[in-house]
Amino acid sequence: MISHTVKTLQIAVLLALAPGMVHAADSLGTVTAAKAGSAGAGGSTQSYGPQSAPALAPGKSPLSATEPTTVLDSHYIENAVMGDSDFNQIANLAPGVSGGFNSNGPGVGESKLNLRGFSDGEFNMTYDGIPFGDTNDFTHHSTAYFPASTIDRVVVERGPGNADNLGYATFGGSVNLFSPDPSAKASGKLGFLYGSNNTLLFKARANSGALPWLGGARYLVNYQHNSSDGYQTFSPVKGDNVLFKMFVPLGESTLVTLLSTFNWNTYYQSDATKGQLTEAQALRYGKDFALGDNPLLANYYAYNRTEKHTGFSYIRVQSALAEGFSLDDSVYYYFYHNSTLSSSGKDPLAGLSSVVLANGKKVQGIPGYDKLNGYWLVGNILRLNKDWSFGRATAGLWVETGATQRGRVDYDLLTGAPNFDQKAVPGIINGINNIQFDQHSGTRNLQPFAQFAWRPTESLTITPGVKYIRFTRSMSALINQNSRLPAFYSQSYHSTLPFLTVNYRLNAQNSAYLQFAKGFLAPPLDVLQTANGVKNRLNPETTTNYQIGFNHQSEHWVWDADVYYIDFNNRYAIDPNSPLSDPYYYNQGGVIYKGVEGEVTYALGNGLALYANGSINSAKSEETNQTISAAPLYTAAAAVLYDAKPYHFALVYKRTGRQYVLDDAQYPLPALNNVNLKLGYDIVPPTPMIKNLRLGFDIYNLTDERGVYKAKVKGPQPSPSDTFNFQAPRSFYGSVTASF
């Protein structure tokens, strides 16, 4: 079983080695990085004070950017983001980005992002430069791996990047998370938050400072605990996370970074309904209706419980070598283990219904299942660089392998006895059984790449590059999902991707860039979950990206703007002529994504700044010229920020434009609005131990919007069986944070 495998592999977690060099946003200030040089655009730099627009801007694009980029730094996270938020709610501010909602309250339920109409799984996510995601479809879980206290900054890249930008789905862009760095000076921080729905958050961090007896090595330890009853009925959550990170210098030219983090999360939610309600249920029982306390109903909370355990570790070695050479080598390991108990009915108020005994006799019970999803991945990223006065050459290789087990067995949740409701599998299981599927699969990933950042002048950087991708899925299942037949085969997908980016520094305050880049996304595991996976011989999805933009940074102004055009080909779809019991996929056609985006910050002085951003986005099928599903027509944001001790204030507004549940502009959902208010007041206690004490007060969803952010529908016309997820209501939180 995968649980045994995962527990065994945990022993090796601290030996895992880490990912390659993080690009523009990685600000690690080490002697190694300094000697290795930089591939960024040349030109003079400008420094600004703590009350300037570059310092106060909640989102900004670096002058060295070669594609549309928004950096959401630690200053924004600390002073403007709700205390119990997840990484999606942090990234949500950026232009073209939408989502981050969940019905159970901020940070206490899983959320998803959308990037220019690309859904989760169609863009890349990294942590300290390491790509991570589910092995079945590259999607992400906001309550797993990385809570907000383990994130120092988020960098949203709306494009494939250069050849050395690695990931499973870079063609839709990348959302890059970065961990906090150990500080050179010993310090500590304790934080406590309490608020609506009995939500509790405790955070603690200790920095060792530089340790002379270890050659200047330093480390930090971070711990977070959160719990909440949740806004939805009988839907509590609980989570714990611990993170360790250490810098170890080896001489003057080599730095070793070690990181390991573990996350435990438990929540109560029906896996069958995902917290969705029909319109009639919402009107009758309220939008908070979810689970209950009646063991004779399918929505009894004890029947609907999920436990997740994840771990993520790496060691990274950076070394400046002779003659302008430098090396960045890393190996990493991460795992995911999800054990879900759920009732199987779509009606949360379903009562006793038929379950099957071993002798085939039917009795009354509560049908449900125990579902397992577990995987591990280990990989290595190697970069070799050579610097000259006129540029940098980079060549590297990313290799990765992973293994997954997924299974589901059916039970009578009322008695705990097996529910023998599954048909026999010829040659595998005789007679009725309770195994819906028992599936093993594997992935292998190979990506060599090379690029050259040529600087013909101090102001101009031209970076051509190329990357080859070969991704292989293998299936080894006695009882495959969906078909419930044996499956033993593999499929490989490959492509060669060219890249070209240009960054021109007009002066110390302005830069312009353009990008041409190809993107790639392998098909999901679903295509192998058929009676004959060989017939699902799909071409990988690809994109061709054209983007141009402009960045400005000065004392009072920070702004950026871009225009993009993306030709997306080989979109997957289920063949309508295939049987419902055994659907198969084909390459349906293409989508044209295009739009304009921008953001601006103006610093009025004395710590006061105004911010706004917006995007007009189009994602239309090439066949019908109609908008595809889950692609907002626009996004907009605005913020008022004040940061001058002892007062801190942030009022942040985000609007997501109309989108459609179905392709071809069918079943529209109205625009969504969300306003958050965050207040802080610093006290300097009369004690040398406590350096600062901050009192905080947060209001999430200030205007109490209750719109629909996700729907599951039967067709283009409204139906009584359509189900919806609603925004969580207004909630209040108080906090106190002590810095040592």
Side-chain angles (χ1 to χ4, degrees):
M1 294 296 289
I2 191 71
S3 58
H4 175 73
T5 304
V6 167
K7 290 178 181 178
T8 303
L9 287 170
Q10 289 177 27
I11 301 172
V13 168
L14 290 175
L15 300 178
L17 302 177
M21 212 166 188
V22 190
H23 8 111
D26 191 347
S27 62
L28 179 61
T30 67
V31 66
T32 301
K35 287 191 175 184
S38 172
S44 60
T45 59
Q46 187 83 22
S47 60
Y48 300 98
Q51 303 301 326
S52 65
L56 295 174
K60 51 185 173 289
S61 179
L63 294 176
S64 59
T66 57
E67 63 184 351
T69 302
T70 297
V71 179
L72 305 159
D73 60 18
S74 58
H75 184 271
Y76 166 71
I77 295 173
E78 181 178 359
N79 292 297
V81 175
M82 298 291 98
D84 198 23
S85 295
D86 59 35
F87 54 72
N88 286 336
Q89 290 161 329
I90 298 172
N92 169 264
L93 181 75
V97 177
S98 58
F101 296 109
N102 77 79
S103 300
N104 207 28
V108 294
E110 187 164 301
S111 65
K112 297 291 184 181
L113 277 187
N114 185 290
L115 182 58
R116 290 177 168 175
F118 290 102
S119 298
D120 183 40
E122 295 181 324
F123 54 84
N124 198 39
M125 270 196 169
T126 70
Y127 188 73
D128 283 356
I130 305 172
F132 71 95
D134 276 5
T135 52
N136 59 331
D137 59 4
F138 312 120
T139 55
H140 308 89
H141 301 280
S142 61
T143 56
Y145 291 114
F146 313 116
S149 67
T150 66
I151 299 172
D152 178 70
R153 62 193 185 280
V154 175
V155 180
V156 180
E157 296 177 313
R158 300 183 295 278
N162 290 322
D164 70 338
N165 189 13
L166 304 175
Y168 311 110
T170 51
F171 82 163
S174 294
V175 176
N176 307 300
L177 317 177
F178 294 92
S179 64
D181 289 340
S183 61
K185 189 174 182 180
S187 63
K189 181 177 287 189
L190 292 174
F192 179 85
L193 175 145
Y194 185 78
S196 297
N197 307 311
N198 197 28
T199 298
L200 171 68
L201 177 69
F202 173 74
K203 299 183 291 185
R205 179 180 299 174
N207 270 289
S208 69
L211 303 172
W213 55 277
L214 277 179
R218 58 188 191 266
Y219 65 85
L220 69 79
V221 178
N222 190 87
Y223 171 73
Q224 174 175 314
H225 168 81
N226 71 292
S227 63
S228 176
D229 291 342
Y231 165 69
Q232 294 178 297
T233 58
F234 292 91
S235 300
V237 302
K238 181 176 67 174
D240 291 276
N241 177 277
V242 60
L243 177 143
F244 173 83
K245 185 176 183 180
M246 187 174 190
F247 289 162
V248 183
L250 302 178
E252 295 184 354
S253 60
T254 300
L255 178 74
V256 178
T257 304
L258 304 94
L259 180 142
S260 191
T261 180
F262 296 89
N263 197 77
W264 297 265
N265 184 246
T266 301
Y267 60 88
Y268 291 80
Q269 181 188 72
S270 168
D271 187 57
T273 66
K274 305 293 186 184
Q276 293 191 323
L277 299 172
T278 66
E279 185 175 11
Q281 288 170 342
L283 289 172
R284 182 173 181 179
Y285 303 109
K287 293 179 180 179
D288 65 335
F289 177 70
L291 302 179
D293 60 352
N294 185 347
L296 297 180
L297 296 179
N299 75 336
Y300 181 45
Y301 72 94
Y303 298 156
N304 298 274
R305 185 175 188 266
T306 296
E307 291 186 356
K308 291 184 180 181
H309 180 203
T310 61
F312 186 96
S313 300
Y314 70 79
I315 298 174
R316 176 183 182 185
V317 180
Q318 300 164 273
S319 185
L321 308 174
E323 304 298 328
F325 285 93
S326 60
L327 175 147
D328 193 326
D329 192 31
S330 16
V331 181
Y332 59 89
Y333 166 78
Y334 66 93
F335 71 87
Y336 174 90
H337 183 263
N338 176 346
S339 179
T340 295
L341 181 71
S342 177
S343 56
S344 54
K346 296 295 184 180
D347 180 4
L349 290 175
L352 298 178
S353 58
S354 178
V355 296
V356 185
L357 302 178
N359 59 8
K361 181 180 179 181
K362 294 183 179 181
V363 297
Q364 293 295 293
I366 303 290
Y369 55 84
D370 190 353
K371 186 176 74 173
L372 171 70
N373 181 17
Y375 59 78
W376 59 263
L377 296 104
V378 60
N380 184 84
I381 299 175
L382 171 67
R383 281 181 174 84
L384 293 173
N385 306 296
K386 166 62 176 173
D387 286 293
W388 294 274
S389 60
F390 54 85
R392 162 178 278 200
T394 300
L397 176 67
W398 177 28
V399 293
E400 181 186 78
T401 186
T404 302
Q405 181 179 355
R406 305 174 74 240
R408 173 178 152 172
V409 291
D410 293 347
Y411 292 97
D412 174 7
L413 300 178
L414 186 64
T415 64
N419 179 16
F420 294 93
D421 60 343
Q422 300 295 324
K423 295 180 180 179
V425 180
I428 305 300
I429 298 179
N430 296 321
I432 58 175
N433 61 87
N434 71 323
I435 304 174
Q436 188 172 100
F437 60 89
D438 186 3
Q439 175 197 91
H440 296 258
S441 62
T443 58
R444 296 193 304 276
N445 179 37
L446 174 70
Q447 293 191 24
F449 56 91
Q451 64 185 41
F452 181 67
W454 176 42
R455 293 191 295 272
T457 71
E458 283 296 311
S459 300
L460 179 64
T461 301
I462 303 172
T463 308
V466 64
K467 174 165 55 184
Y468 174 76
I469 296 178
R470 184 175 183 84
F471 184 84
T472 301
R473 287 193 184 278
S474 60
M475 177 68 74
S476 177
L478 288 176
I479 305 176
N480 200 5
Q481 190 169 348
N482 294 336
S483 70
R484 300 194 71 247
L485 294 174
F488 301 93
Y489 42 73
S490 66
Q491 291 189 11
S492 294
Y493 313 92
H494 60 89
S495 185
T496 300
L497 308 176
F499 298 83
L500 176 65
T501 62
V502 177
N503 178 282
Y504 182 63
R505 291 287 290 270
L506 286 77
N507 51 46
Q509 297 179 339
N510 300 285
S511 70
Y513 61 84
L514 63 85
Q515 178 188 63
F516 161 79
K518 292 277 192 176
F520 171 97
L521 178 64
L525 185 64
D526 289 2
V527 303
L528 301 185
Q529 294 177 168
T530 64
N532 182 10
V534 175
K535 65 188 175 186
N536 278 329
R537 292 294 185 183
L538 295 176
N539 294 317
E541 293 181 325
T542 61
T543 58
T544 303
N545 300 256
Y546 306 92
Q547 306 195 90
I548 186 169
F550 191 94
N551 297 317
H552 171 86
Q553 291 190 12
S554 59
E555 182 71 28
H556 290 284
W557 290 95
V558 169
W559 63 269
D560 59 84
D562 67 87
V563 177
Y564 68 91
Y565 180 93
I566 303 171
D567 187 357
F568 172 24
N569 293 303
N570 299 329
R571 190 182 185 210
Y572 311 135
I574 296 176
D575 191 324
N577 296 318
S578 62
L580 294 176
S581 60
D582 185 24
Y584 56 89
Y585 291 74
Y586 74 109
N587 291 114
Q588 180 185 46
V591 178
I592 298 297
Y593 294 79
K594 57 186 177 182
V596 58
E597 304 163 324
E599 58 188 331
V600 59
T601 299
Y602 177 64
L604 286 79
N606 299 319
L608 182 63
L610 304 177
Y611 171 81
N613 75 39
S615 69
I616 300 174
N617 308 102
S618 172
K620 293 186 176 182
S621 165
E622 290 187 276
E623 285 71 35
T624 65
N625 198 36
Q626 296 293 319
T627 301
I628 64 171
S629 64
L633 302 183
Y634 65 89
T635 68
V640 180
L641 307 111
Y642 181 77
D643 184 25
K645 287 189 175 183
Y647 299 103
H648 308 274
F649 171 91
L651 183 67
V652 181
Y653 166 72
K654 179 75 180 201
R655 180 176 174 87
T656 301
R658 184 180 61 189
Q659 56 185 299
Y660 300 95
V661 181
L662 302 175
D663 284 349
D664 297 332
Q666 298 183 93
Y667 209 118
L669 293 181
L672 292 170
N673 299 288
N674 192 77
V675 181
N676 295 333
L677 173 66
K678 189 176 181 70
L679 304 172
Y681 180 74
D682 291 335
I683 301 173
V684 181
T687 169
M689 177 178 291
I690 301 177
K691 297 177 181 178
N692 189 72
L693 191 67
R694 177 174 295 187
L695 305 179
F697 181 67
D698 301 351
I699 304 178
Y700 171 81
N701 192 4
L702 180 67
T703 55
D704 201 28
E705 300 282 340
R706 305 304 311 280
V708 174
Y709 67 87
K710 184 179 179 182
K712 188 173 182 179
V713 302
K714 299 295 184 181
Q717 300 302 319
S719 165
S721 60
D722 295 342
T723 57
F724 308 94
N725 287 112
F726 300 94
Q727 290 174 260
R730 179 169 48 230
S731 50
F732 305 87
Y733 307 91
S735 64
V736 57
T737 303
S739 300
F740 302 90

